Amino acid sequence: MKKKIIGLCAILLAVSGCGKIPTLENGDEAVVTFNDDHKISVNELYDLLKETYGLDTLMTLAETYVLETEFSDYKDTARETADSYVDSYIESAGGEDEFLSYLRQKGYQSIDAYRDLMYLSVLQSHAIEEYAKLQITDEEIEEYYNNTAIGDMEISHILITPDVDDDATDDETKEAEEAAKKTIEEIIAKLNEAKKNGDDIEETFAELAKEYSEDESTKDDGGTIGKINYGSFDDKYDELISAAVDLKVGSYSTKVITTEAGYHVILKTAQDDKKSLEDLKDDIVSILGEEYTEENYTSIAFNALQHYCKEYGMDIVDDELAKQYSNYVQSAKASIQQAEIDNE
């Protein structure tokens, strides 16, 4: 680590046009000189950095190496994902200059530095997901397959979203939500009437989707979402998945379904047979991994990164930084333990 900083300082001095690097009487290279021949050595700089930002910087370097090595096939995806996030932030801010001004208020000196931070964050998130999968046992997989797994379902939906402005009051928001729910109830009533009259429900549903649905990508196709199953959406859509599971093929939901997108009525149009355990295993592990992450949200990030660093035999050889790291680990464990107690 020390040699890297010395090398970096040498590069910076060379670039700045300082010429030959001056040295102190004890042979240490200097990074700053003054008219009275006073010099600040690279060792002084290293020691100060070590006491202030050293551990954070060291762990950034260490985790980047470990995660890039462990998930080498995910590096390009992580970089593309990070860049897409940053590019969207730049657009929202009104341009690079405006975004850089914002970043500097937060302590970042460049957009590229922030891109690197986002890149590491995406890698960390991926590592957490993969670590959670490692915690799933064969017994848990078999139990899920036998008791929960089902074949893919094909459904159509009609979506109504509350007409709410960003600056709406709580009363206005509530009124808009109630209006959206009422529209769904009216659609269900029309489906009930069609069923009573012996009309074709799938055809009626398609007509209502075209008339009412606010999902522009599906309304003209009968509201068809396609095949879904557990794990198709995040947990904010659990109510929709559960409602679909409970429906028979050809039937529709008779209660308002609430998701992050708004309010729905759904029609189940097909139900596939359950695939083999071998075919479903990866999907089951992903689903159970997400559940494990939710159940262990206070500790999983720390435990995951600890796991991968240990897998690669990370050993901090600088005594002071090793001490700081040990204190950090003990403090993190104590905080996690207290958070788990508070959440009981």
Side-chain angles (χ1 to χ4, degrees):
M1 180 68 176
K2 187 174 181 180
K3 290 181 180 178
K4 288 183 179 179
I5 291 183
I6 292 173
L8 176 60
C9 291
I11 292 171
L12 291 175
L13 285 168
V15 171
S16 65
C18 293
K20 183 179 179 181
I21 300 173
T23 59
L24 304 182
E25 291 182 0
N26 63 4
D28 289 344
E29 292 179 350
V31 291
V32 177
T33 62
F34 297 91
N35 290 334
D36 60 0
D37 290 332
H38 179 74
K39 301 178 181 69
I40 298 175
S41 75
V42 69
N43 282 339
E44 290 177 287
L45 174 61
Y46 175 76
D47 289 340
L48 180 59
L49 289 174
K50 185 168 62 176
E51 293 174 2
T52 52
Y53 305 108
L55 183 61
D56 288 342
T57 303
L58 178 62
M59 292 312 300
T60 295
L61 292 170
E63 289 177 6
T64 300
Y65 164 73
V66 167
L67 299 183
E68 282 188 335
T69 306
E70 178 68 16
F71 305 109
S72 58
D73 58 345
Y74 188 74
K75 286 166 54 178
D76 290 344
T77 300
R79 179 60 72 180
E80 291 169 4
T81 302
D83 286 345
S84 68
Y85 282 140
V86 176
D87 290 344
S88 67
Y89 296 155
I90 291 172
E91 183 178 354
S92 297
E96 289 191 356
D97 291 342
E98 291 80 2
F99 186 58
L100 180 57
S101 176
Y102 168 79
L103 288 181
R104 284 175 173 165
Q105 295 176 28
K106 302 298 181 180
Y108 300 98
Q109 296 306 308
S110 70
I111 293 176
D112 284 343
Y114 190 72
R115 286 185 187 277
D116 288 341
L117 174 70
M118 291 299 299
Y119 168 65
L120 178 56
S121 178
V122 174
L123 279 176
Q124 289 171 334
S125 295
H126 183 68
I128 291 168
E129 291 175 3
E130 295 305 307
Y131 171 79
K133 294 177 184 178
L134 294 176
Q135 313 312 306
I136 308 307
T137 66
D138 289 339
E139 291 77 10
E140 290 172 323
I141 295 170
E142 290 181 8
E143 180 182 359
Y144 184 94
Y145 178 79
N146 292 329
N147 300 326
T148 306
I150 60 171
D152 289 342
M153 304 170 288
E154 291 188 27
I155 71 166
S156 300
H157 84 139
I158 298 171
L159 169 68
I160 304 297
T161 57
D163 185 12
V164 180
D165 295 328
D166 292 339
D167 57 351
T169 65
D170 290 345
D171 287 342
E172 289 171 337
T173 299
K174 185 176 180 180
E175 183 179 348
E177 290 173 347
E178 291 301 322
K181 291 178 184 178
K182 184 177 180 181
T183 300
I184 290 291
E185 291 169 350
E186 292 173 354
I187 294 169
I188 293 172
K190 291 188 176 185
L191 287 168
N192 289 338
E193 184 67 21
K195 181 180 179 181
K196 182 180 178 181
N197 294 335
D199 297 337
D200 185 297
I201 292 299
E202 191 167 338
E203 183 179 324
T204 301
F205 194 95
E207 292 172 354
L208 291 171
K210 189 172 185 178
E211 180 180 355
Y212 286 97
S213 184
E214 296 177 47
D215 182 352
E216 297 297 332
S217 64
T218 66
K219 63 180 298 181
D220 291 330
D221 192 27
T224 301
I225 294 177
K227 292 187 176 183
I228 65 169
N229 208 319
Y230 291 114
S232 297
F233 309 116
D234 62 32
D235 57 6
K236 294 176 181 177
Y237 289 80
D238 283 352
E239 186 177 333
L240 187 147
I241 297 293
S242 296
V245 170
D246 292 338
L247 290 176
K248 294 180 180 180
V249 174
S251 61
Y252 54 88
S253 55
T254 56
K255 294 182 179 179
V256 178
I257 298 171
T258 305
T259 73
E260 181 184 48
Y263 303 102
H264 312 250
V265 57
I266 64 173
L267 171 70
K268 189 171 187 177
T269 57
Q271 172 75 66
D272 294 347
D273 292 334
K274 182 165 65 173
K275 297 178 182 178
S276 68
L277 174 58
E278 182 179 355
D279 289 337
L280 288 179
K281 185 173 182 179
D282 288 345
D283 291 338
I284 293 173
V285 169
S286 294
I287 292 169
L288 294 179
E290 290 178 6
E291 292 178 1
Y292 180 90
T293 300
E294 292 172 7
E295 293 168 359
N296 298 275
Y297 70 94
T298 58
S299 61
I300 190 168
F302 173 79
N303 289 338
L305 295 175
Q306 286 280 293
H307 166 79
Y308 289 112
C309 285
K310 288 178 180 178
E311 284 285 301
Y312 280 81
M314 188 186 77
D315 180 24
I316 301 177
V317 296
D318 183 289
D319 290 341
E320 174 59 30
L321 288 172
K323 181 180 178 181
Q324 290 181 27
Y325 182 71
S326 177
N327 291 338
Y328 154 73
V329 169
Q330 296 304 315
S331 176
K333 288 181 177 179
S335 296
I336 290 169
Q337 185 177 22
Q338 185 59 53
E340 290 174 344
I341 292 173
D342 293 343
N343 291 327
E344 287 180 354

